[in-house]
């Protein structure tokens, strides 16, 4: 999602993400491994509720930590992560990553509190703009239902983003990856459906079935567990680039007929700029705010630009439909 230079920004971002996924030095150190092994052997080795309760009391868990299922092994991993960070700092080394992530201070049981907060802000933004869309666009407008599909999928995606950043489990990771891609895929789908809104329902139904089948198969692929991160990033990159390219071509062709094309261009420019924040990867400020969280924050105001465009577009399409209907009636 961006301007003419969007595909290049997208490539840079995702290549960087692929590289960073394999740059987890912290959890590979012997220091971290020994610390975690000793901690689990001393506190978590026995099965049974009593040992687990003792460990929970030892780590002084809050009600939020318990609610988000921080068990003894998780506490060992969390504690040893910070011991490893301190060991690196004492030697003047850079802050290490652990399992592909920077170390974050846990807050109210959340692993990445800033990303959780900003994911929720994106969720709220979509809900508020969907309500405004319903207020300002009549239900009989072309593409009215189409943009509802877009909004619902985005809302679902941001819910799972908040869940995943709250607690990183295999199932929450799966849902985050899958439904994050669903947002990218539905953007491409809606772009195509918008261009073909006058075509036959059979053609549009066939394309919809193809997209749905593709996502179901991709979800099944991600569910296998051992998927390729590079392939996942490449798939996102290609899908997003196709969506952006489609809107850019449309903007060029419609630039004389539809002045609102500037809004979709503006959206892609701003979105591309927000995505570039991922290139500024750095250790979290105050152990809370990293580049990924800032990216989530930056997308919140950008959402309004896109909804502003589709509201104008639906209104214009409705006027065109009324004009065509009147012209047809006069012809009859």
């Amino acid at each position: 999602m961006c301007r003419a230079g969007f595909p290049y920004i997208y490539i840079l971002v995702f290549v960087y993400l692929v590289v960073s996924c394999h740059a987890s030095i912290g959890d590979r150190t012997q220091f971290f491994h020994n610390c975690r092994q000793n901690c689990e052997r001393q506190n978590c080795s026995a099965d049974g509720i009593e040992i687990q309760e003792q460990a929970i009391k030892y780590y002084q868990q809050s009600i939020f930590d318990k609610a988000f299922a921080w068990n003894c092994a998780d506490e060992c991993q969390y504690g040893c992560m910070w011991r490893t960070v301190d060991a690196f700092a004492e030697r003047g080394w850079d802050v290490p990553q652990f399992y592909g992530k920077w170390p974050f201070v846990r807050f109210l049981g959340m692993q990445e509190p800033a990303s959780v907060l900003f994911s929720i802000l994106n969720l709220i933004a979509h809900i508020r703009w969907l309500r405004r869309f319903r207020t300002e666009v009549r239900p009989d407008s072309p593409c009215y239902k189409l943009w509802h599909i877009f909004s619902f999928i985005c809302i679902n995606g941001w819910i799972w983003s908040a869940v995943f950043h709250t607690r990183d489990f295999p199932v929450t990771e799966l849902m985050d990856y899958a439904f994050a891609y669903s947002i990218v895929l539905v953007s491409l789908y809606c772009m195509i459906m918008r261009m073909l809104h006058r075509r036959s329902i059979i053609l549009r139904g066939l394309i919809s079935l193809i997209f749905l089948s593709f996502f179901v198969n991709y979800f099944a692929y991600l569910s296998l567990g051992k998927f390729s991160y590079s392939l996942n990033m490449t798939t996102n990159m290609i899908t997003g680039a196709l969506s952006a390219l489609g809107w850019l071509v449309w903007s060029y062709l419609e630039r004389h007929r539809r002045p609102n094309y500037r809004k979709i261009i503006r959206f892609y420019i701003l979105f591309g700029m927000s995505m570039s924040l991922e290139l500024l990867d750095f250790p979290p400020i105050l152990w809370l705010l990293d580049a990924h969280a800032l990216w989530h924050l930056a997308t919140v105001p950008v959402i309004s630009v896109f909804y502003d465009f589709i509201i104008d577009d639906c209104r214009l399409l409705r006027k065109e439909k009324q004009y065509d209907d009147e012209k047809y009636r006069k012809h009859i």
Side-chain angles (χ1 to χ4, degrees):
M1 303 181 182
C2 154
R3 54 181 169 179
F6 162 76
Y8 304 104
I9 293 177
Y10 219 113
I11 290 171
L12 286 173
V13 169
F14 280 105
V15 167
Y16 182 83
L17 289 175
V18 171
V19 173
S20 64
C21 283
H22 301 281
S24 307
I25 300 174
D27 58 278
R28 295 181 181 178
T29 62
Q30 193 64 38
F31 182 92
F32 176 83
H33 178 74
N34 291 340
C35 174
R36 183 175 179 180
Q37 191 175 53
N38 292 334
C39 177
E40 291 183 5
R41 183 174 60 250
Q42 294 173 10
N43 299 297
C44 316
S45 58
D47 295 328
I49 299 177
E50 292 185 1
I51 295 296
Q52 188 69 17
E53 287 182 347
Q54 291 175 8
I56 289 176
K57 290 179 180 179
Y58 174 77
Y59 289 112
Q60 298 180 342
Q61 285 192 328
S62 68
I63 187 174
F64 298 101
D65 299 329
K66 297 176 184 178
F68 292 128
W70 285 84
N71 60 30
C72 186
D74 294 331
E75 293 290 0
C76 283
Q77 177 177 316
Y78 182 76
C80 289
M81 176 185 73
W82 288 114
R83 292 189 184 96
T84 305
V85 170
D86 290 339
F88 270 59
E90 290 174 0
R91 292 163 176 76
W93 298 346
D94 294 334
V95 176
Q97 290 188 337
F98 298 82
Y99 304 104
K101 295 183 177 182
W102 292 110
F104 294 93
V105 170
R106 187 172 68 197
F107 178 71
L108 299 179
M110 297 180 288
Q111 284 181 268
E112 301 175 55
S115 290
V116 173
L117 173 61
F118 300 150
S119 294
I120 293 174
L121 290 180
N122 277 278
L123 168 64
I124 294 172
H126 275 284
I127 293 174
R128 292 186 62 183
W129 275 97
L130 176 58
R131 290 177 177 175
R132 181 171 176 178
F133 178 86
R134 289 176 170 178
T135 301
E136 300 188 16
V137 178
R138 292 185 55 169
D140 61 344
S141 301
C143 300
Y144 181 83
K145 294 180 180 179
L146 176 68
W147 294 119
H148 275 71
I149 294 173
F150 170 80
S151 294
F152 291 148
I153 289 180
C154 288
I155 288 170
N156 178 67
W158 284 112
I159 288 173
W160 284 108
S161 174
V163 171
F164 171 67
H165 289 300
T166 298
R167 284 294 275 127
D168 181 358
F169 294 120
V171 65
T172 59
E173 181 183 40
L174 166 65
M175 294 302 189
D176 179 61
Y177 274 103
F179 291 122
Y181 179 64
S182 73
I183 296 177
V184 181
L185 187 63
V186 79
S187 298
L188 175 61
Y189 169 76
C190 288
M191 182 274 295
I192 294 175
M193 289 295 102
R194 162 61 181 81
M195 308 310 169
L196 301 177
H197 76 280
R198 292 178 179 270
R199 302 296 181 179
S200 70
I201 191 172
I202 296 177
L203 175 61
R204 287 180 285 138
L206 179 60
I207 293 175
S208 299
L209 183 61
I210 291 173
F211 269 85
L212 180 60
S213 299
F214 178 80
F215 178 73
V216 169
N217 279 277
Y218 195 73
F219 187 90
Y221 162 71
L222 294 177
S223 301
L224 295 177
K226 295 183 179 180
F227 64 91
S228 169
Y229 284 93
S230 60
L231 178 60
N232 179 58
M233 295 302 177
T234 302
T235 304
N236 276 269
M237 176 188 72
I238 294 174
T239 305
L242 288 174
S243 178
L245 182 61
W247 279 117
L248 291 171
V249 171
W250 176 86
S251 297
Y252 177 78
L253 296 176
E254 299 288 335
R255 66 189 185 281
H256 298 303
R257 294 180 60 239
R258 304 180 188 276
N260 66 330
Y261 82 91
R262 294 184 178 88
K263 293 182 179 181
I264 195 66
I265 295 295
R266 189 181 306 127
F267 166 74
Y268 280 114
I269 291 175
L270 293 174
F271 192 86
M273 292 173 63
S274 68
M275 284 198 68
S276 66
L277 288 170
E278 289 280 28
L279 297 175
L280 305 176
D281 198 28
F282 51 82
I285 301 171
L286 300 177
W287 305 113
L288 288 171
L289 198 64
D290 69 332
H292 184 74
L294 288 175
W295 172 44
H296 282 337
L297 177 61
T299 57
V300 176
V302 177
I303 293 171
S304 63
V305 181
F306 186 79
Y307 276 92
D308 195 28
F309 164 74
I310 63 176
I311 288 173
D312 281 352
D313 191 55
C314 285
R315 285 173 169 175
L316 184 58
L317 289 177
R318 186 174 183 278
K319 290 180 180 179
E320 292 176 352
K321 181 183 176 183
Q322 287 179 323
Y323 175 79
D324 291 342
D325 290 344
E326 291 176 3
K327 185 177 180 181
Y328 177 75
R329 284 193 295 268
K330 290 180 180 179
H331 178 71
I332 293 178

